[in-house]
RNA sequence: GCCCGGGUGGCGGAACUGGUAGACGCGUCGGAUUCAAAAUCCGAUUCUGGUGACAGAGUGCGAGUUCGAGUCUCGCCCCGGGCACCA
C-alpha cells in the first residue's frame, strides 16, 4: 500500500467503481425505504459553497441510511426556469435555453466530481416540456375545479423599458436598468386558491414532528389565522348620504370604544369615486400607488393621510369620526379600510400623533390604571375602561358582548380571517412554463385540452430586455379556440417558478411516468428527510405543502404532507459576511477540489459547524481537514504494513481500555450522525479516536493489533458517508472486498463500554474544588465520604457546618456550607 | 416595522435533559528532525496573579430563579433570515 495519500488517483478510481456497479440506481423493493432529498439548484453556472454544503449534508445522511440497510433514494435535478437566464440572454445574446442547458452540464460534472450518491437516471430539468406539461395539466384540472381564477393585481411597471419588473429589479423605487420611476399597474393575472387550504396548511403543521419549531412557527404566523369581527360603519357627510357603509375587520373589537378615526386604502371604491372630483385627492392617491406594496416598506414608511369630507358613524357611540385615505392601508389586504384605535395600536398611534387626532385609552394596564399613551400605544389586552356599559370586562367578555350587540343590530359579523393571500401564478416573462390557457372573444379563457399539452415554450429565442418576446410571436399567440374553433389568442404569461419546485420531489419517484405521477410515488413518498436553506422556510415550503394537497385531491397522491423531516441549512460565510461577487469574498469549490480533493472539501464542510448554523469558511481549516485524511491514510498504511488480522471481539487490560474508547466513539458517532445530525461533533470524536490510535504501539500478534484492526474498520466505516472515496480505498486496504457503503454501519458492544471507576467533580458552594475517583457502583454515602476526605475540599469547607450535600450520580458532588 | 433565529478563547466551534465552560480543528509560541527550509512529529496555549500547588474573573449587556445558569425567566444591545415577482 502506498504510504502517501494521493486523492486524485483514489477519487477517480473509486468513482469509476461506483459507475461500473451502477451503485446508486434504486428501484422499489421490500426493504424499508428512505427518501433523502436536497433542494435542487438553480443552474446558475457553477456550484457555490452553499451547494457543496447542502449536498454534502444530504449525501452523508443518504449514505448513512444505506449502511443501516435501507433502500435509499437520493435524486438530483435542476430548477431550470427563472430570471437569471433572461438576464444572461440580455447581457450575452445567448438564448436562455442554451445558456441553461450548458450550465446544467457544467454543474452536473461538478456534482459527480464531489462524489454524491445520486440516482442520475432520475434527473429532471424543469424547463423540459416532458416535466412542465404535467403542471400545465394540473393547472387545467384546477381550472375545472375553480381552484384557479383570474383577477386584477398590481405589478411593478417600468415605463421606459415597457416591462414588468420583479421586486429585486426595483432599486429605491426605480427600474434597475432604465432608472425610471417604477409605477404600479393593475393587470389581470391567475391566482391559486391557497386560502381555501389555509386551515389544513395550518392544522397539519402539528403532524410535522421532524420539522424545526422555528419553521413551523414562521409558517403559522404567515398563514395568520385570526378570529375577529367585521364591523360596518355608516357613512355620513355632505355629498354621500346614500353611500354604502364602510366595512372593517378587527381582531380587537374590545377596543372599539377607543376608535377615533378611520383609514381607507387609496384604491378603495369610495375613495376612487371622490377622487374623480377632487384633484388633490387624486394626486395623493397617485402618490400612494407609486410607492410599492412590499410589506416591509409599508410598515416603515412615513405615515401620510388625506382627510376626506365624509365621516363614519361609530356603531356604539353614534359619534361622527373623521375618515382619511392613508398610505399604509392597502386594498388587497382585508377590506381596504381600518378602524383606528390609536391608544392601542402603534401604527394608528403614529398616524394620530402626526395628524393631531384624539387618543383615548380604553384598556387598562396590569395595575388597572389608564395606560400612559403619551409616547407609544399600549397593545396589551386588559380590562376595559372609558367604555361605558363595557367597563370592567376583560378581553373575552368584551369581545363576546360587543359582537353579540352589533350582530343583533345586523352591523357586524364574527369572522375568521387569514393573513395568507392567494398565490399569484402569472409572470410576464419569457423563461418559464407557458400558462395553458387560450383567450377567446366569445368563450373567455379556455383551458388547453389535455391532448394539446404540453404548450411548448419556443426555445430558439433571445430576449433583448423590452419584456417577454412571447406576445410578439404570432406563431405562438395565434391559435383556434378549443371550445368554438374561432381564432383566439394564447395566454403569453408564464408560471411563477415556484410552480416547478412545488412538485419535483414527487416526480423524482417516477420521472418517466406517462402521467403526472404513478404508483411508484406511493412507495417512495413522503420525503423522509428534506434539506435546504432556511431562506425557503416560508414560500417554497408552503407552496410545496399546498401542491401535495392539490395532487392528493385530484387523486394522484396519498400523503397529506410531502416532507416528514426538514433540515434547514445555515449560510456559508467568508469573513463574517455572505459570499457574493460584489463583496469579492467568494470561494470557488472547484479550485479547492482540485487542490485538496473532494473528500477534504466534504470533510471540512461537515466539520466547520453544525448544519443548521451559519458556516464561516476558512482556507486554513481546509488544510487541517486534509492533514487529518493524510494522517488517517498513514495510520492505516502502518497498520497494514504490520499485518492485517481479524478484528478484536474482546480485550483485556490496556487493550480493553483502547477498545472501550473505540466503542464509546461508535456509540457517540452513531448518535451524532443518525439522530442529532451534528456531523461536526461526530468528526471530532473520530479524530480523537484516530489520535489515540496513533499513540498505540501495536505489533503483529499483539492484543492491541486486533483492537487496532477493529478500530480502523470502525473509523473507516463511520467516516465513509462523509469522505467516501478515501474510505472506500482504505476499506479494501484493511482486507475487505467490495464497497464500504455496502458494509454495515458499526454498532457499539455494550460489554466494551463498562467502567470500573468514575471520575466525579467535587464542588463546595457550587465551585469546583477537586476531582475524585470512585468505584462505578459506589452509593451516595461512599461518594460523599470520599469527597469529604479530599485535602482541597477540607481546606475550603474550613470547619464550617455542611448544610446540604447534593450528589448527581456519575457527575458531581456539591457540598453547601 | 412585523415574524423567526443567533451572539462562548486570537479564530471556527464543543458543552445533547439546569451539573467539570472551552472537546475537536485552526492559528500562535516552544522543541525534535533538517546544512537550511517546506512537510512531518512532540509539547504549551481563556484572561489575571503566583516558580508552583492554587486562587480570582469569565459564555453580547443588565436584573432574576436555583445548592448550582452558556443552558431557564424578564428587560435591553448587536448580527443574520423572511416579508408574497431573486431562487
Amino acid at each position: 500500500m502506498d504510504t502517501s495519500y494521493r486523492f486524485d488517483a483514489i477519487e477517480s478510481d473509486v468513482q469509476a467503481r461506483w459507475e461500473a456497479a451502477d451503485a446508486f440506481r434504486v428501484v422499489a423493493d421490500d426493504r424499508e425505504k428512505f427518501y433523502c432529498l436536497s433542494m435542487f439548484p438553480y443552474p446558475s453556472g457553477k456550484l457555490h459553497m452553499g451547494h457543496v454544503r447542502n449536498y454534502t449534508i444530504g449525501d452523508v445522511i443518504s449514505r448513512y441510511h444505506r449502511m443501516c440497510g435501507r433502500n435509499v433514494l437520493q435524486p438530483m435535478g435542476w430548477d431550470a426556469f427563472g430570471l437569471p437566464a433572461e438576464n444572461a440572454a440580455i447581457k450575452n445574446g445567448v438564448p436562455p435555453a442554451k445558456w441553461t442547458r450548458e450550465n446544467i452540464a457544467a454543474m452536473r460534472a461538478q456534482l459527480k466530481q464531489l462524489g454524491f450518491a445520486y440516482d442520475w437516471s432520475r434527473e429532471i430539468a424543469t424547463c423540459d416540456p416532458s416535466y412542465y406539461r404535467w403542471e400545465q395539466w394540473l393547472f387545467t384540472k384546477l381550472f375545472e375545479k375553480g381552484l384557479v381564477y383570474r383577477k386584477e393585481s398590481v405589478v411593478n411597471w417600468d415605463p421606459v423599458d415597457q416591462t414588468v419588473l420583479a421586486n429585486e429589479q426595483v432599486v429605491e423605487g426605480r427600474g434597475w436598468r432604465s432608472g425610471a420611476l417604477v409605477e404600479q399597474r393593475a393587470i389581470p393575472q391567475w391566482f391559486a386558491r391557497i386560502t381555501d387550504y389555509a386551515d389544513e396548511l395550518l392544522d397539519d403543521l402539528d403532524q410535522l414532528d421532524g420539522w424545526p419549531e422555528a419553521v413551523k412557527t414562521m409558517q403559522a404566523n404567515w398563514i395568520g389565522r385570526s378570529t375577529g369581527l367585521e364591523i360596518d360603519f355608516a357613512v355620513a357627510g355632505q355629498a354621500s348620504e346614500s353611500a354604502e357603509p364602510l366595512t372593517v375587520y378587527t381582531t380587537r373589537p374590545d377596543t372599539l370604544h377607543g376608535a377615533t378615526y378611520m383609514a381607507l386604502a387609496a384604491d378603495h371604491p369610495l375613495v376612487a369615486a371622490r377622487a374623480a372630483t377632487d384633484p388633490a385627492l387624486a394626486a395623493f392617491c397617485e402618490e400612494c400607488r407609486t410607492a410599492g406594496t412590499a410589506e416591509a416598506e409599508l410598515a416603515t414608511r412615513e405615515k401620510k393621510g388625506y382627510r376626506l369630507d365624509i365621516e363614519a358613524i361609530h356603531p356604539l357611540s353614534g359619534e361622527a369620526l373623521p375618515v382619511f385615505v392613508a398610505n399604509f392601508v392597502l386594498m388587497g389586504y382585508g377590506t381596504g379600510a381600518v378602524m383606528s384605535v390609536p391608544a392601542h395600536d402603534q401604527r394608528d398611534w403614529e398616524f394620530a400623533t402626526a395628524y393631531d387626532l384624539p387618543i383615548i385609552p380604553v384598556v387598562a394596564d396590569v395595575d388597572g390604571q389608564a395606560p400612559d399613551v403619551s409616547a407609544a400605544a399600549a397593545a396589551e389586552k386588559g380590562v376595559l375602561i372609558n367604555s361605558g356599559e363595557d367597563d370592567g370586562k376583560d378581553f373575552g367578555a368584551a369581545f363576546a358582548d360587543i359582537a353579540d350587540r352589533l350582530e343583533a343590530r345586523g352591523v357586524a359579523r364574527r369572522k375568521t380571517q387569514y393573513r395568507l393571500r392567494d398565490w399569484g401564478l402569472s409572470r410576464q416573462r419569457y423563461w418559464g412554463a407557458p400558462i395553458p390557457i387560450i383567450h377567446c372573444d366569445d368563450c373567455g379563457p379556455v383551458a388547453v385540452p389535455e391532448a394539446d399539452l404540453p404548450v411548448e415554450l419556443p426555445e430558439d429565442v433571445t430576449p433583448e430586455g423590452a419584456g417577454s418576446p412571447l406576445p410578439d410571436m404570432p406563431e405562438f399567440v395565434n391559435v383556434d379556440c378549443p371550445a368554438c374553433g374561432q381564432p383566439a389568442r394564447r395566454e403569453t404569461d408564464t408560471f411563477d417558478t415556484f410552480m416547478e419546485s412545488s412538485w419535483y420531489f414527487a416526480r423524482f419517484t417516477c420521472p418517466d411516468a406517462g402521467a403526472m405521477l404513478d404508483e411508484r410515488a406511493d412507495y417512495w413518498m413522503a420525503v423522509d428527510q428534506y434539506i435546504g436553506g432556511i431562506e425557503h422556510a416560508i414560500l417554497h415550503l408552503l407552496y410545496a405543502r399546498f401542491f401535495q394537497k392539490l395532487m392528493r385531491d385530484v387523486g394522484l397522491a396519498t400523503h397529506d404532507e410531502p416532507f416528514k423531516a426538514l433540515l434547514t441549512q445555515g449560510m456559508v460565510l467568508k469573513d463574517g459576511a455572505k459570499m457574493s461577487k460584489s463583496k469579492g469574498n467568494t470561494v470557488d469549490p472547484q479550485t479547492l477540489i482540485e487542490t485538496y480533493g473532494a473528500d477534504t472539501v466534504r470533510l471540512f464542510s461537515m466539520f466547520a459547524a453544525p448544519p443548521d448554523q451559519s458556516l464561516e469558511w476558512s482556507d486554513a481549516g481546509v488544510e487541517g481537514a486534509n492533514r487529518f485524511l493524510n494522517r488517517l491514510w498513514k495510520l492505516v498504511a502502518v497498520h497494514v504494513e504490520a499485518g492485517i488480522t481479524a478484528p478484536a471481539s474482546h480485550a483485556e487490560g490496556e487493550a480493553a481500555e483502547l477498545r472501550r474508547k473505540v466503542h464509546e466513539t461508535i456509540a457517540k458517532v452513531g448518535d451524532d450522525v443518525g439522530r442529532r445530525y451534528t456531523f461536526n461533533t461526530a468528526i471530532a470524536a473520530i479524530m480523537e479516536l484516530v489520535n489515540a490510535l496513533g499513540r498505540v504501539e501495536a505489533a503483529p500478534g499483539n492484543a492491541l493489533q486486533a483492537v487496532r484492526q477493529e478500530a480502523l474498520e470502525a473509523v473507516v466505516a463511520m467516516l465513509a458517508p462523509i469522505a467516501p472515496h478515501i474510505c472506500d480505498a482504505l476499506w479494501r486496504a484493511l482486507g475487505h472486498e467490495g464497497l464500504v457503503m455496502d458494509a454495515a454501519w458499526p454498532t457499539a458492544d455494550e460489554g466494551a463500554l463498562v467502567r470500573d471507576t468514575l471520575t466525579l467533580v467535587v464542588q463546595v458552594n457550587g465551585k469546583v474544588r477537586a476531582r475524585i475517583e470512585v468505584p462505578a457502583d459506589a452509593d451516595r454515602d461512599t461518594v460523599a465520604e470520599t469527597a469529604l476526605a479530599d485535602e482541597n475540599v477540607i481546606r475550603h469547607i474550613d470547619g464550617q457546618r455542611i448544610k446540604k450535600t447534593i450528589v448527581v450520580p456519575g457527575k458531581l458532588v456539591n457540598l453547601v456550607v
Side-chain angles (χ1 to χ4, degrees), chain A residues 80-110:
Chain A
F81 278 133
L83 212 45
E86 293 191 34
N87 295 337
I90 294 164
K91 201 174 157 198
N92 309 320
V94 187
K98 184 170 185 282
W99 183 83
T100 301
R101 293 206 165 85
E102 284 171 2
N103 287 349
I104 287 174
M107 289 171 77
R108 186 195 297 116
Q110 287 190 298

Side-chain angles (χ1 to χ4, degrees), chain A residues 465-511:
Chain A
S468 168
L470 291 178
D472 302 324
M473 298 175 70
E475 67 277 23
F476 180 77
V477 175
N478 295 334
V479 62
D480 291 340
C481 171
C484 70
Q486 282 189 69
R489 296 170 319 282
R490 197 181 287 289
E491 169 79 59
T492 56
D493 281 359
T494 51
F495 280 134
D496 176 9
T497 56
F498 275 127
M499 282 285 276
E500 285 84 57
S501 55
S502 291
W503 68 286
Y504 76 109
F505 47 88
R507 184 69 181 178
F508 272 139
T509 66
C510 50

Side-chain angles (χ1 to χ4, degrees), chain A residues 26-219:
Chain A
V26 287
V27 292
D29 63 24
D30 51 13
R31 283 178 295 168
E32 184 190 352
K33 67 94 184 178
F34 191 89
Y35 182 4
C36 183
L37 182 67
S38 297
M39 290 181 187
F40 65 168
Y42 178 79
S44 53
K46 54 185 186 179
L47 293 182
H48 57 65
M49 275 303 164
H51 293 129
V52 172
R53 188 182 192 198
N54 195 159
Y55 302 143
T56 303
I57 294 167
D59 201 43
V60 171
I61 295 171
S62 295
R63 287 172 180 269
Y64 165 77
H65 283 284
R66 180 182 177 133
M67 290 177 77
C68 290
R70 300 188 178 94
N71 190 22
V72 177
L73 169 60
Q74 190 187 206
M76 184 41 73
W78 311 96
D79 191 12
F81 278 133
L83 212 45
E86 293 191 34
N87 295 337
I90 294 164
K91 201 174 157 198
N92 309 320
V94 187
K98 184 170 185 282
W99 183 83
T100 301
R101 293 206 165 85
E102 284 171 2
N103 287 349
I104 287 174
M107 289 171 77
R108 186 195 297 116
Q110 287 190 298
L111 291 175
K112 288 194 171 179
Q113 230 184 335
L114 280 158
F116 296 133
Y118 297 134
D119 180 352
W120 284 107
S121 72
R122 296 169 184 267
E123 183 179 357
I124 287 170
T126 60
C127 61
D128 287 344
S130 61
Y131 179 79
Y132 64 69
R133 75 172 289 166
W134 297 111
E135 72 197 40
Q136 290 178 334
W137 173 85
L138 183 68
F139 179 89
T140 63
K141 295 291 141 200
L142 299 179
F143 182 72
E144 282 168 20
K145 296 175 78 169
L147 280 167
V148 294
Y149 64 100
R150 224 152 105 93
K151 74 167 180 188
E152 294 254 318
S153 173
V154 293
V155 293
N156 302 307
W157 177 254
D158 185 321
V160 170
D161 277 355
Q162 294 281 300
T163 184
V164 175
L165 299 178
N167 284 343
E168 73 158 6
Q169 296 175 311
V170 180
V171 183
E172 287 168 7
R174 293 174 180 275
W176 66 341
R177 288 164 52 81
S178 69
L181 274 176
V182 170
E183 296 168 8
Q184 304 291 306
R185 267 201 186 183
I187 56 172
Q189 306 200 66
W190 291 98
F191 283 81
R193 292 191 197 277
I194 191 172
T195 50
D196 279 13
Y197 285 74
D199 280 318
E200 202 192 344
L201 287 166
L202 181 64
D203 296 339
D204 285 358
L205 287 172
D206 290 340
Q207 298 177 20
L208 301 176
D209 297 330
W211 282 43
E213 284 304 319
V215 174
K216 288 192 276 187
T217 305
M218 280 191 269
Q219 290 218 349

Side-chain angles (χ1 to χ4, degrees), chain A residues 521-540:
Chain A
D522 298 334
Y523 172 82
W524 289 111
M525 286 296 286
V527 173
D528 293 279
Q529 182 65 58
Y530 195 35
I531 305 129
I534 183 69
E535 67 273 18
H536 296 293
I538 296 175
L539 293 178
H540 161 60

Side-chain angles (χ1 to χ4, degrees), chain A residues 626-646:
Chain A
N626 189 245
R627 228 172 323 201
F628 171 73
L629 293 183
N630 273 305
R631 272 212 312 280
L632 176 63
W633 183 272
K634 257 175 227 150
L635 184 63
V636 173
V638 166
H639 176 81
V640 169
E641 189 61 31
I644 51 179
T645 67

